[in-house]
Amino acid sequence: MASKYQAPRGTFDVLPEAARSRARLERTAAEILTRAGYEPIATPMFEDTELFERGVGRSTDIVRKEMFTFEDKGGRSLTLRPEGTASVCRAYLEHGMHKLAQPVKLSYLGPFFRHERPQAGRYRQFHQLGVECIGTDSPLADVEVIMLLSDLLAELGVPGIELRLGSLGSLQARHDYLDALKAHLHAHEAELSSDVRERIDVNPLRAFDADDEGTRAVMESAPTIVERLEGEDAEHFAEVRALLDAAGVAYAVDSTLVRGLDYYTRTIFSFVCDRLGAQSEVGGGGRYDGLIEQLGGPPTAAIGWAAGIERILLALDEEAPGAGRDAFVAVAEAEQRQRAMVLVSELRHAGISAELDLAGRALKGQLKQADRIGARRVLILEADGGAQLRDMDSGEQRPVDPGNLVDEMTGGER
Ligand code: ATP
Ligand code: MG
C-alpha cells in the first residue's frame, strides 16, 4: 500500500541491500585511510551561515544558490553543511589543532546538503567521504592525498576512472591570472552566454565549465593558469607531477580544470568516471593554503578532497551480495520456541550470526525462511529433545548432540 508521504525531493532512503554496498565502501575507505594515518573527525550537520559564506566563498554556486539556510529560534542564521572543508578548518582552529605537530591528517564521512535540481548522481542530501591534510605545503602531501583516493577507487574496482590535474598558483598568482582572464572575457563579451557574461567579475573561472558554443569558442583562446605558473608555484606543480610519475599514478594535466570553491590555490584535481554521464566527477579537491587564515587562524597550508559516495556506488553499479547468516534455529513443535530463543542468543554471543522464526511458521515454512535469508546451516530442534543439523548448500542432514549445540556450531566455523 502506497503511503501518502514520500521522501522529500532530492532525498532517498537507503534500503538494506544498498546499505550493504555502502558498508563495504565505508569499510574499505576506513582501512585505507587508517593505514595512512588519517583519523576520523565529525562536525555538526549545521553551522553558522557565515562560516560557509567566508569559507566556501560568496561567488560560488554553493553559496549563491545551493545552501539550505534557516533561522533558529534565537534569530541566528544557520546552514545545513554543503561541504566539509570549512567545518573541519573551523574545528581545527577551535580546538587549537594548529598547536599540534603538523600536519594534522583528518577524514570524515557523512551527509551533506545542497539545494540543487535533482538528477542521476545529484541529490539534495548526499554523502561525502573526505580527507584533509592540514599544516604543510609539501608536494608530498598533495601526492599522498591524491593517492588515497586513487587507491580507494582502485580497491573498490570503480571502472573508467581518469585523474585530471591542474594548478591555480598561489593566491597572488591566481589573482593576477583572474584579472587577465576577466580582460579576455570582457574583450569577447558579445560572444558569451548571458550567464557567463553576468558573472565575469564575480567568478570568471566558471566560464571554463560552460557548455554553450559561443562561450566555448571564447575559452579556446583564453589564457590558462597552468601555462602562466612561475617561480615557486611552477616548482611546486613540477614536484607534484614528478612524485605522481614516480608513484606510477596516471593523470592528465587539464589547464581548464576549475573547482566550485573559491579557496583553492596551487594543486587542484578531479577524478572522473566515464560511466557516469553528466555528473561524471566522483571526487576532487585541492590545496587551500589561504583558507585557515581567512577563517581567522594563522597562515596554514592545507590540502584535501571530497568524494561523492552515491556517485562511486553508481559507477560500481554492483549487485550487493546478500548478507547471509551462519545459522537458523528451527523448531519442529511450537513448545521448543523458548529453547530456540535461548540457543540463538548463545550462538550470537559466541559470534555466530543466527536467527529464528518470529512469525509462527510451521517447520516447512521455517526452512523456507532460512533459505530466504541465506542461512548456511539450520538447526532443527525436535519434539523429543533431539536436534538435527542441516547443511543448506548440500541438503545433508545429520543428528547432533543436543547438549552441545553451540560447540557443534562454532567448531565447524573457526
Ligand atoms: P559537481 O560539478 O558535480 O556539481 P562539485 O564541484 O559541486 O561537483 P564538490 O563540491 O567538489 O563537487 O564535491 C565533491 C564531490 O561530491 C563531487 O565530486 C561529487 O562526487 C559529490 N557531489 C557534489 N554535489 C553532489 C550532489 N548534489 N549530489 C551527489 N553528489 C554530489
Ligand atoms: Mg556542484
Side-chain angles (χ1 to χ4, degrees):
M1 193 177 67
S3 139
K4 70 186 215 198
Y5 299 112
Q6 293 179 340
R9 187 165 150 76
T11 70
F12 51 85
D13 300 308
V14 179
L15 301 180
E17 196 182 334
R20 286 196 283 274
S21 312
R22 276 172 190 258
R24 179 175 87 92
L25 193 168
E26 289 174 19
R27 269 196 310 276
T28 308
E31 273 168 30
I32 289 174
L33 300 182
T34 309
R35 282 203 296 260
Y38 286 72
E39 303 250 35
I41 183 169
T43 60
M45 299 297 160
F46 54 84
E47 300 266 2
D48 285 340
T49 300
E50 212 189 310
L51 174 71
F52 299 119
E53 288 176 343
R54 294 227 92 202
V56 178
R58 284 179 215 274
S59 75
T60 61
D61 281 354
I62 293 180
V63 171
R64 284 160 45 103
K65 307 192 239 178
E66 299 172 2
M67 298 206 301
F68 280 94
T69 297
F70 59 98
E71 223 174 66
D72 74 1
K73 292 189 164 58
R76 283 169 287 261
S77 178
L78 298 172
T79 294
L80 296 182
R81 59 185 194 181
E83 60 99 55
T85 303
S87 306
V88 171
C89 290
R90 195 247 329 120
Y92 171 88
L93 287 173
E94 184 169 337
H95 301 284
M97 289 188 237
H98 55 290
K99 293 180 209 133
L100 302 176
Q102 305 292 303
V104 173
K105 305 204 289 189
L106 301 166
S107 71
Y108 60 85
L109 179 124
F112 291 86
F113 308 85
R114 295 185 194 178
H115 203 289
E116 303 200 70
R117 195 168 66 77
Q119 48 199 295
R122 195 177 290 291
Y123 313 97
R124 292 185 172 173
Q125 175 174 341
F126 58 101
H127 296 77
Q128 283 186 346
L129 165 73
V131 306
E132 313 291 355
C133 178
I134 307 178
T136 175
D137 67 357
S138 168
L140 288 166
D142 302 47
V143 174
E144 174 165 288
V145 299
I146 289 173
M147 283 174 71
L148 289 174
L149 186 47
S150 93
D151 284 352
L152 174 64
L153 297 171
E155 175 87 29
L156 291 170
V158 183
I161 289 290
E162 187 187 292
L163 166 59
R164 296 186 184 152
L165 185 73
S167 176
L168 298 173
S170 63
L171 281 180
Q172 187 55 49
R174 182 184 156 150
H175 186 83
D176 296 345
Y177 166 69
L178 290 182
D179 283 345
L181 182 59
K182 285 176 199 168
H184 177 79
L185 292 172
H186 280 302
H188 295 86
E189 265 184 45
E191 297 142 69
L192 301 173
S193 72
S194 58
D195 189 44
V196 170
R197 194 181 321 126
E198 277 159 27
R199 291 166 64 192
I200 294 179
D201 294 304
V202 188
N203 193 351
L205 284 175
R206 271 304 189 193
F208 282 112
D209 272 355
D211 0 273
D212 69 286
E213 287 211 1
T215 306
R216 282 194 166 224
V218 173
M219 298 321 284
E220 297 263 306
S221 59
T224 71
I225 187 135
V226 170
E227 74 202 9
R228 288 168 53 111
L229 288 178
E230 47 183 43
E232 288 182 7
D233 291 340
E235 276 166 37
H236 194 277
F237 192 48
E239 183 70 23
V240 169
R241 295 182 55 176
L243 287 166
L244 285 171
D245 292 338
V249 179
Y251 60 87
V253 171
D254 181 348
S255 53
T256 68
L257 190 62
V258 294
R259 302 210 48 79
L261 309 179
D262 270 0
Y263 51 58
Y264 285 117
T265 53
R266 291 193 165 167
T267 312
I268 51 170
F269 54 92
S270 168
F271 285 83
V272 292
C273 172
D274 64 14
R275 317 286 152 101
L276 283 182
Q279 275 60 250
S280 63
E281 188 186 276
V282 292
R287 273 206 165 273
Y288 48 93
D289 293 346
L291 176 61
I292 295 201
E293 195 175 5
Q294 187 154 336
L295 296 178
T300 309
I303 182 161
W305 51 253
I309 302 286
E310 288 76 22
R311 299 225 185 137
I312 294 177
L313 293 171
L314 274 174
L316 282 170
D317 189 26
E318 62 181 13
E319 282 284 304
R325 301 291 183 281
D326 298 326
F328 189 94
V329 177
V331 296
E333 303 284 345
E335 288 73 54
Q336 283 117 31
R337 278 189 202 142
Q338 197 176 353
R339 224 176 118 208
M341 183 76 250
V342 172
L343 180 58
V344 160
S345 166
E346 285 172 5
L347 289 171
R348 290 175 184 169
H349 289 150
I352 293 179
S353 56
E355 287 195 52
L356 78 168
D357 173 53
L358 301 176
R361 294 181 177 89
L363 182 57
K364 201 169 155 209
Q366 294 175 52
L367 293 175
K368 216 171 174 180
Q369 176 64 8
D371 191 45
R372 234 181 254 133
I373 65 166
R376 282 175 282 279
R377 296 184 293 172
V378 181
L379 266 172
I380 303 165
L381 305 184
E382 296 178 306
D384 60 6
Q388 299 274 335
L389 182 61
R390 181 196 283 245
D391 182 306
M392 295 297 275
D393 287 336
S394 64
E396 263 169 49
Q397 189 169 314
R398 63 182 169 90
V400 285
D401 175 5
N404 229 349
L405 290 173
V406 174
D407 286 350
E408 191 79 56
M409 299 300 283
T410 49
E413 290 286 322
R414 288 174 183 182

